[in-house]
Amino acid sequence: MTTGSQTLLGLHRPGAASDVFADGGDNMIRLVPPAFARQRLSIGLPEISEVDVVRHFTRLSLDSHGVDNGPYPLGSCTMKYNPKRNDELARLPGFAHAHPLQPPNTLGGVWELFERLQGMICEITGMDACCLAPAAGAHGELAGLLMIRAHYAHLKNPRPVVLVPDSAHGTNPASAAMAGFECRIVPSDLRGRVDIVELQRMLTSDVAAFMLTNPSTLGLFEDQIIEIAELVHANGSLLYYDGANLNALMGIVRPGDMGFDVVHVNVHKTFATPHGGGGPGAGPVAVKKVLAPYLPTPVAVRREGVAQPHEVTPMSIGRIKSFHGHVAVLLRAYGYLRTMGASGLRQASQNAVLNANYLQHQLAHMLPPVYDQLCKHEALLSGARLRTSARQFAKRLIDYGIHPPTLVGAGCVYFPGDLKSAMLIEPTETESKASLDYQIGIFQKVFDEDATDDALLLRAPVSRKIARIDLTA
Ligand SMILES: *Cc1c(COP(=O)(O)O)cnc(C)c1O
């Protein structure tokens, strides 16, 4: 806005910086001590048009690999495509412009959707109560373990030990340690399942819980889960379900029916939030009745038909996240669940399992499965037939626009036995058959290169600006 030669901010008037805001009536600049105030208006920023800026950042964004620009079969991570329509829901002004400090009674829509989402998560997992607050899977684990600790403290029966299988994701023992437990590792048997005999021996009176994911991080269903649950419960211990692999069994079986007492769900793996790059996710925790009094706060409750936050529960472990948790992430999950419905979720899991088995079968002559049996949503493939190794193989996939699968073995994730070179591949349900066949073709190409030109694999990736950023050799 201009009046005569004056402008609102005075930006076009030559002179000292302290003049800049004078005409706008803004005295802020006077609060800056002269020693720190800028003396010149120009600070020499480059003059660039909008289109150049957009191109610059678009180019930078394409330097990172994402599920929007290529396959991302990173096992254990469920890097599936997430429909953009859920972002539209999260962007609705009533949600997007809400302020964390707004009085709860002006956030009715958020609490309404939260209350419904809690119910859906309970329905999918077979649990009785749910809190959406934790910020990620690992945070959900911490919340779940703190609840378990509070439960035994309340029973005046402190149990300092948590059991974790050797195939567990690294966050499981880390969370157990953070929650103040001593962690003991249960070995796997020759079939890649929990060694029941060992488990039985390790279930002593000081064991608070056994943490398990099913299907496991080897992509295998723990087919003795009912027996495991009975053993754990007979010992007075609880069974924790790491829900990171829920994508394999939504709508087919429920952790609650398998005997689990507490579950976390990785919303960013299973329910439609883009995952990776350290962006926000969410790790709701759901529990059976026995643990419900200890849930973190706030939990959405419905009173006289109106959903609202419930903050005060005497035995709760308290708040573990500021304000309302990661609202936009949870709204996307709500949108996804409503869109998919029960049959859609079941179909997603069935296709995730089908796709993984298709890859496992088609790749078997190059990368034979470590456990030769049907897998669930991910397949553990051996690099034993490679002249180089699974690691070099994975590096070369980058050159062809495929994100490397999760590497397993020496120097990577800890796995049982002498697994030196293997990869965990998870295609997800959102890759088409054409995309899977394309990926199989690339795997074949790299396999042939491994046989004929292993020097290339040792240098790969050769098409990227930076190679082997995480390796010194
Ligand atoms: C990803 C993952 C976790 C940790 O979840 P975050 O959301 O990354 O904190 C735990 N367990 C398993 C099996 C996982 O795959």
Side-chain angles (χ1 to χ4, degrees), residues 97-145:
H97 298 164
H99 192 280
L101 292 172
Q102 245 171 269
N105 62 1
T106 64
L107 289 171
V110 171
W111 290 102
E112 175 65 35
L113 295 200
F114 275 16
E115 201 270 343
R116 294 188 202 177
L117 180 59
Q118 287 174 188
M120 293 177 189
I121 289 175
C122 285
E123 188 179 338
I124 292 168
T125 57
M127 294 286 151
D128 298 318
C130 174
C131 171
L132 303 173
H139 201 199
E141 289 170 26
L142 179 66
L145 288 162

Short mmCIF file of all heavy atoms in Angstrom, two decimals, residues 97-145:
data_model
loop_
_atom_site.label_atom_id
_atom_site.label_comp_id
_atom_site.label_asym_id
_atom_site.label_seq_id
_atom_site.Cartn_x
_atom_site.Cartn_y
_atom_site.Cartn_z
N HIS A 97 -5.36 -25.45 10.46
CA HIS A 97 -5.15 -24.17 11.13
C HIS A 97 -5.42 -24.23 12.63
O HIS A 97 -5.37 -23.22 13.30
CB HIS A 97 -6.02 -23.08 10.49
CG HIS A 97 -5.67 -22.84 9.04
ND1 HIS A 97 -6.49 -22.17 8.17
CD2 HIS A 97 -4.59 -23.21 8.33
CE1 HIS A 97 -5.93 -22.15 6.97
NE2 HIS A 97 -4.78 -22.77 7.04
N ALA A 98 -5.73 -25.40 13.13
CA ALA A 98 -5.97 -25.50 14.57
C ALA A 98 -4.66 -25.22 15.31
O ALA A 98 -3.57 -25.52 14.81
CB ALA A 98 -6.47 -26.91 14.91
N HIS A 99 -4.78 -24.61 16.47
CA HIS A 99 -3.60 -24.28 17.28
C HIS A 99 -3.51 -25.26 18.45
O HIS A 99 -4.52 -25.60 19.05
CB HIS A 99 -3.72 -22.84 17.80
CG HIS A 99 -2.44 -22.34 18.38
ND1 HIS A 99 -2.04 -22.68 19.66
CD2 HIS A 99 -1.47 -21.57 17.87
CE1 HIS A 99 -0.86 -22.11 19.90
NE2 HIS A 99 -0.49 -21.43 18.82
N PRO A 100 -2.30 -25.71 18.76
CA PRO A 100 -2.16 -26.69 19.85
C PRO A 100 -2.74 -26.21 21.19
O PRO A 100 -3.15 -27.01 22.02
CB PRO A 100 -0.65 -26.91 19.98
CG PRO A 100 -0.04 -26.33 18.77
CD PRO A 100 -1.01 -25.40 18.12
N LEU A 101 -2.75 -24.88 21.38
CA LEU A 101 -3.22 -24.36 22.67
C LEU A 101 -4.71 -24.00 22.66
O LEU A 101 -5.23 -23.50 23.65
CB LEU A 101 -2.39 -23.14 23.08
CG LEU A 101 -0.94 -23.46 23.45
CD1 LEU A 101 -0.15 -22.18 23.65
CD2 LEU A 101 -0.86 -24.32 24.70
N GLN A 102 -5.38 -24.23 21.53
CA GLN A 102 -6.82 -23.98 21.48
C GLN A 102 -7.54 -24.78 22.58
O GLN A 102 -7.16 -25.93 22.82
CB GLN A 102 -7.35 -24.46 20.14
CG GLN A 102 -7.89 -23.39 19.25
CD GLN A 102 -8.17 -23.94 17.87
OE1 GLN A 102 -7.31 -23.91 17.01
NE2 GLN A 102 -9.36 -24.48 17.67
N PRO A 103 -8.57 -24.22 23.21
CA PRO A 103 -9.31 -25.01 24.19
C PRO A 103 -9.89 -26.27 23.52
O PRO A 103 -10.38 -26.19 22.39
CB PRO A 103 -10.46 -24.09 24.62
CG PRO A 103 -10.09 -22.74 24.12
CD PRO A 103 -9.12 -22.88 23.00
N PRO A 104 -9.82 -27.42 24.22
CA PRO A 104 -10.27 -28.69 23.63
C PRO A 104 -11.69 -28.61 23.08
O PRO A 104 -12.00 -29.24 22.06
CB PRO A 104 -10.19 -29.67 24.79
CG PRO A 104 -9.21 -29.08 25.74
CD PRO A 104 -9.27 -27.60 25.57
N ASN A 105 -12.56 -27.83 23.72
CA ASN A 105 -13.95 -27.82 23.23
C ASN A 105 -14.11 -27.10 21.90
O ASN A 105 -15.19 -27.09 21.32
CB ASN A 105 -14.91 -27.27 24.29
CG ASN A 105 -14.60 -25.83 24.64
OD1 ASN A 105 -13.67 -25.23 24.08
ND2 ASN A 105 -15.36 -25.25 25.56
N THR A 106 -13.02 -26.47 21.41
CA THR A 106 -13.08 -25.89 20.07
C THR A 106 -12.41 -26.82 19.04
O THR A 106 -12.25 -26.45 17.89
CB THR A 106 -12.38 -24.51 20.02
OG1 THR A 106 -10.98 -24.71 20.29
CG2 THR A 106 -12.97 -23.55 21.03
N LEU A 107 -11.98 -27.98 19.51
CA LEU A 107 -11.34 -28.95 18.61
C LEU A 107 -12.19 -30.22 18.51
O LEU A 107 -11.66 -31.33 18.43
CB LEU A 107 -9.94 -29.32 19.14
CG LEU A 107 -8.88 -28.22 19.04
CD1 LEU A 107 -7.62 -28.62 19.78
CD2 LEU A 107 -8.54 -27.93 17.58
N GLY A 108 -13.50 -30.02 18.51
CA GLY A 108 -14.42 -31.16 18.53
C GLY A 108 -14.18 -32.15 17.41
O GLY A 108 -14.22 -33.37 17.61
N GLY A 109 -13.89 -31.63 16.21
CA GLY A 109 -13.71 -32.52 15.06
C GLY A 109 -12.51 -33.43 15.23
O GLY A 109 -12.55 -34.62 14.88
N VAL A 110 -11.41 -32.87 15.78
CA VAL A 110 -10.20 -33.67 15.99
C VAL A 110 -10.51 -34.81 16.96
O VAL A 110 -10.20 -35.98 16.69
CB VAL A 110 -9.06 -32.79 16.56
CG1 VAL A 110 -7.88 -33.66 16.99
CG2 VAL A 110 -8.61 -31.78 15.51
N TRP A 111 -11.18 -34.49 18.07
CA TRP A 111 -11.43 -35.53 19.08
C TRP A 111 -12.47 -36.54 18.60
O TRP A 111 -12.41 -37.71 18.96
CB TRP A 111 -11.80 -34.90 20.43
CG TRP A 111 -10.57 -34.25 20.97
CD1 TRP A 111 -10.28 -32.91 20.97
CD2 TRP A 111 -9.41 -34.91 21.49
NE1 TRP A 111 -9.00 -32.70 21.45
CE2 TRP A 111 -8.45 -33.91 21.78
CE3 TRP A 111 -9.08 -36.23 21.71
CZ2 TRP A 111 -7.19 -34.22 22.30
CZ3 TRP A 111 -7.83 -36.55 22.24
CH2 TRP A 111 -6.89 -35.54 22.53
N GLU A 112 -13.38 -36.07 17.76
CA GLU A 112 -14.35 -37.00 17.18
C GLU A 112 -13.62 -38.05 16.33
O GLU A 112 -13.83 -39.25 16.47
CB GLU A 112 -15.36 -36.21 16.32
CG GLU A 112 -16.36 -37.06 15.56
CD GLU A 112 -17.32 -37.83 16.46
OE1 GLU A 112 -17.71 -37.30 17.53
OE2 GLU A 112 -17.69 -38.97 16.08
N LEU A 113 -12.72 -37.57 15.43
CA LEU A 113 -12.01 -38.52 14.58
C LEU A 113 -11.05 -39.38 15.40
O LEU A 113 -10.87 -40.56 15.11
CB LEU A 113 -11.27 -37.78 13.46
CG LEU A 113 -12.12 -37.04 12.43
CD1 LEU A 113 -11.34 -36.79 11.15
CD2 LEU A 113 -13.41 -37.76 12.10
N PHE A 114 -10.45 -38.79 16.43
CA PHE A 114 -9.54 -39.57 17.29
C PHE A 114 -10.29 -40.71 17.98
O PHE A 114 -9.81 -41.83 18.07
CB PHE A 114 -8.90 -38.67 18.35
CG PHE A 114 -7.67 -37.95 17.89
CD1 PHE A 114 -7.36 -37.85 16.53
CD2 PHE A 114 -6.80 -37.37 18.80
CE1 PHE A 114 -6.22 -37.18 16.10
CE2 PHE A 114 -5.65 -36.72 18.38
CZ PHE A 114 -5.37 -36.62 17.04
N GLU A 115 -11.48 -40.38 18.48
CA GLU A 115 -12.24 -41.41 19.20
C GLU A 115 -12.60 -42.56 18.26
O GLU A 115 -12.51 -43.73 18.62
CB GLU A 115 -13.49 -40.78 19.81
CG GLU A 115 -14.08 -41.56 20.97
CD GLU A 115 -15.12 -42.59 20.55
OE1 GLU A 115 -15.63 -42.50 19.40
OE2 GLU A 115 -15.42 -43.48 21.34
N ARG A 116 -12.97 -42.19 17.03
CA ARG A 116 -13.30 -43.24 16.05
C ARG A 116 -12.05 -44.03 15.66
O ARG A 116 -12.11 -45.25 15.50
CB ARG A 116 -13.90 -42.61 14.80
CG ARG A 116 -15.24 -41.94 15.05
CD ARG A 116 -15.81 -41.55 13.70
NE ARG A 116 -16.80 -40.50 13.80
CZ ARG A 116 -17.38 -39.96 12.74
NH1 ARG A 116 -17.05 -40.35 11.53
NH2 ARG A 116 -18.27 -39.00 12.88
N LEU A 117 -10.93 -43.31 15.50
CA LEU A 117 -9.69 -43.99 15.10
C LEU A 117 -9.24 -44.96 16.19
O LEU A 117 -8.80 -46.09 15.89
CB LEU A 117 -8.59 -42.95 14.80
CG LEU A 117 -7.22 -43.48 14.38
CD1 LEU A 117 -7.32 -44.34 13.12
CD2 LEU A 117 -6.24 -42.32 14.13
N GLN A 118 -9.34 -44.55 17.45
CA GLN A 118 -9.01 -45.46 18.55
C GLN A 118 -9.83 -46.75 18.42
O GLN A 118 -9.30 -47.85 18.58
CB GLN A 118 -9.33 -44.81 19.90
CG GLN A 118 -8.36 -43.72 20.31
CD GLN A 118 -8.81 -43.01 21.59
OE1 GLN A 118 -8.20 -42.01 21.96
NE2 GLN A 118 -9.85 -43.46 22.25
N GLY A 119 -11.13 -46.58 18.13
CA GLY A 119 -12.01 -47.74 18.01
C GLY A 119 -11.59 -48.65 16.86
O GLY A 119 -11.60 -49.87 16.97
N MET A 120 -11.21 -48.03 15.73
CA MET A 120 -10.79 -48.84 14.57
C MET A 120 -9.52 -49.61 14.88
O MET A 120 -9.37 -50.78 14.49
CB MET A 120 -10.54 -47.93 13.36
CG MET A 120 -11.77 -47.26 12.82
SD MET A 120 -11.25 -46.17 11.47
CE MET A 120 -12.77 -45.29 11.17
N ILE A 121 -8.58 -48.96 15.57
CA ILE A 121 -7.31 -49.63 15.89
C ILE A 121 -7.59 -50.80 16.84
O ILE A 121 -7.02 -51.89 16.69
CB ILE A 121 -6.29 -48.62 16.47
CG1 ILE A 121 -5.82 -47.70 15.35
CG2 ILE A 121 -5.11 -49.34 17.12
CD1 ILE A 121 -4.89 -46.59 15.77
N CYS A 122 -8.50 -50.60 17.80
CA CYS A 122 -8.87 -51.70 18.70
C CYS A 122 -9.50 -52.84 17.90
O CYS A 122 -9.22 -54.02 18.14
CB CYS A 122 -9.85 -51.22 19.77
SG CYS A 122 -9.05 -50.24 21.04
N GLU A 123 -10.32 -52.49 16.93
CA GLU A 123 -11.00 -53.52 16.13
C GLU A 123 -9.99 -54.32 15.31
O GLU A 123 -10.07 -55.55 15.22
CB GLU A 123 -12.03 -52.85 15.21
CG GLU A 123 -12.92 -53.83 14.48
CD GLU A 123 -13.95 -53.12 13.59
OE1 GLU A 123 -14.26 -51.94 13.85
OE2 GLU A 123 -14.42 -53.78 12.64
N ILE A 124 -9.02 -53.62 14.71
CA ILE A 124 -8.04 -54.30 13.86
C ILE A 124 -7.08 -55.17 14.69
O ILE A 124 -6.69 -56.25 14.27
CB ILE A 124 -7.23 -53.25 13.04
CG1 ILE A 124 -8.16 -52.58 12.03
CG2 ILE A 124 -6.03 -53.88 12.35
CD1 ILE A 124 -7.56 -51.35 11.38
N THR A 125 -6.73 -54.68 15.89
CA THR A 125 -5.72 -55.39 16.68
C THR A 125 -6.33 -56.35 17.70
O THR A 125 -5.61 -57.14 18.30
CB THR A 125 -4.81 -54.39 17.44
OG1 THR A 125 -5.65 -53.55 18.27
CG2 THR A 125 -4.02 -53.52 16.48
N GLY A 126 -7.64 -56.24 17.93
CA GLY A 126 -8.27 -57.10 18.94
C GLY A 126 -7.97 -56.67 20.36
O GLY A 126 -7.84 -57.50 21.26
N MET A 127 -7.85 -55.35 20.55
CA MET A 127 -7.55 -54.83 21.89
C MET A 127 -8.78 -54.10 22.44
O MET A 127 -9.77 -53.90 21.74
CB MET A 127 -6.35 -53.88 21.81
CG MET A 127 -5.07 -54.58 21.42
SD MET A 127 -4.39 -55.56 22.80
CE MET A 127 -3.54 -56.86 21.91
N ASP A 128 -8.69 -53.67 23.72
CA ASP A 128 -9.85 -53.06 24.38
C ASP A 128 -9.78 -51.54 24.47
O ASP A 128 -10.81 -50.88 24.56
CB ASP A 128 -9.99 -53.62 25.80
CG ASP A 128 -10.23 -55.12 25.79
OD1 ASP A 128 -11.02 -55.59 24.94
OD2 ASP A 128 -9.61 -55.84 26.60
N ALA A 129 -8.59 -50.98 24.52
CA ALA A 129 -8.46 -49.52 24.70
C ALA A 129 -7.20 -49.06 24.00
O ALA A 129 -6.26 -49.84 23.79
CB ALA A 129 -8.39 -49.18 26.18
N CYS A 130 -7.19 -47.75 23.63
CA CYS A 130 -6.10 -47.26 22.77
C CYS A 130 -5.78 -45.81 23.11
O CYS A 130 -6.66 -45.04 23.49
CB CYS A 130 -6.57 -47.37 21.31
SG CYS A 130 -5.46 -46.66 20.09
N CYS A 131 -4.51 -45.47 22.98
CA CYS A 131 -4.08 -44.07 23.09
C CYS A 131 -3.25 -43.74 21.85
O CYS A 131 -2.35 -44.50 21.47
CB CYS A 131 -3.24 -43.86 24.35
SG CYS A 131 -2.46 -42.23 24.42
N LEU A 132 -3.56 -42.61 21.22
CA LEU A 132 -2.93 -42.28 19.94
C LEU A 132 -1.66 -41.44 20.10
O LEU A 132 -1.02 -41.11 19.11
CB LEU A 132 -3.93 -41.49 19.07
CG LEU A 132 -5.27 -42.17 18.78
CD1 LEU A 132 -6.20 -41.20 18.05
CD2 LEU A 132 -5.06 -43.43 17.94
N ALA A 133 -1.30 -41.09 21.32
CA ALA A 133 -0.28 -40.06 21.53
C ALA A 133 1.14 -40.39 21.05
O ALA A 133 1.80 -39.50 20.52
CB ALA A 133 -0.25 -39.66 23.01
N PRO A 134 1.65 -41.62 21.20
CA PRO A 134 3.07 -41.83 20.88
C PRO A 134 3.44 -41.40 19.45
O PRO A 134 2.63 -41.51 18.53
CB PRO A 134 3.27 -43.33 21.08
CG PRO A 134 2.22 -43.73 22.06
CD PRO A 134 1.03 -42.86 21.73
N ALA A 135 4.67 -40.93 19.30
CA ALA A 135 5.07 -40.27 18.07
C ALA A 135 5.59 -41.21 16.99
O ALA A 135 5.74 -40.82 15.84
CB ALA A 135 6.14 -39.23 18.39
N ALA A 136 5.91 -42.46 17.34
CA ALA A 136 6.45 -43.41 16.37
C ALA A 136 6.40 -44.79 16.99
O ALA A 136 6.01 -44.94 18.16
CB ALA A 136 7.88 -43.05 16.00
N GLY A 137 6.83 -45.79 16.23
CA GLY A 137 6.82 -47.15 16.74
C GLY A 137 7.65 -47.30 17.99
O GLY A 137 7.19 -47.85 19.01
N ALA A 138 8.87 -46.80 17.95
CA ALA A 138 9.75 -46.94 19.11
C ALA A 138 9.16 -46.23 20.34
O ALA A 138 9.29 -46.70 21.47
CB ALA A 138 11.14 -46.38 18.78
N HIS A 139 8.50 -45.12 20.09
CA HIS A 139 7.87 -44.38 21.19
C HIS A 139 6.68 -45.16 21.75
O HIS A 139 6.45 -45.17 22.96
CB HIS A 139 7.42 -43.01 20.66
CG HIS A 139 7.22 -41.98 21.72
ND1 HIS A 139 6.47 -40.85 21.51
CD2 HIS A 139 7.63 -41.92 23.00
CE1 HIS A 139 6.45 -40.12 22.62
NE2 HIS A 139 7.15 -40.74 23.54
N GLY A 140 5.96 -45.85 20.87
CA GLY A 140 4.87 -46.73 21.31
C GLY A 140 5.41 -47.87 22.16
O GLY A 140 4.82 -48.25 23.18
N GLU A 141 6.57 -48.41 21.74
CA GLU A 141 7.20 -49.48 22.53
C GLU A 141 7.51 -48.98 23.93
O GLU A 141 7.24 -49.66 24.93
CB GLU A 141 8.52 -49.92 21.87
CG GLU A 141 8.35 -50.69 20.58
CD GLU A 141 9.69 -50.88 19.86
OE1 GLU A 141 10.75 -50.88 20.53
OE2 GLU A 141 9.68 -51.01 18.63
N LEU A 142 8.09 -47.78 23.99
CA LEU A 142 8.44 -47.22 25.30
C LEU A 142 7.17 -47.07 26.15
O LEU A 142 7.14 -47.47 27.32
CB LEU A 142 9.13 -45.86 25.13
CG LEU A 142 9.51 -45.17 26.44
CD1 LEU A 142 10.58 -45.96 27.20
CD2 LEU A 142 10.01 -43.74 26.18
N ALA A 143 6.11 -46.52 25.54
CA ALA A 143 4.85 -46.33 26.28
C ALA A 143 4.33 -47.68 26.77
O ALA A 143 3.93 -47.83 27.93
CB ALA A 143 3.82 -45.64 25.39
N GLY A 144 4.34 -48.69 25.89
CA GLY A 144 3.83 -50.01 26.25
C GLY A 144 4.63 -50.62 27.40
O GLY A 144 4.06 -51.19 28.34
N LEU A 145 5.95 -50.48 27.34
CA LEU A 145 6.79 -51.08 28.38
C LEU A 145 6.65 -50.31 29.70
O LEU A 145 6.69 -50.92 30.77
CB LEU A 145 8.24 -51.10 27.90
CG LEU A 145 8.49 -52.13 26.79
CD1 LEU A 145 9.78 -51.83 26.04
CD2 LEU A 145 8.53 -53.55 27.37
#
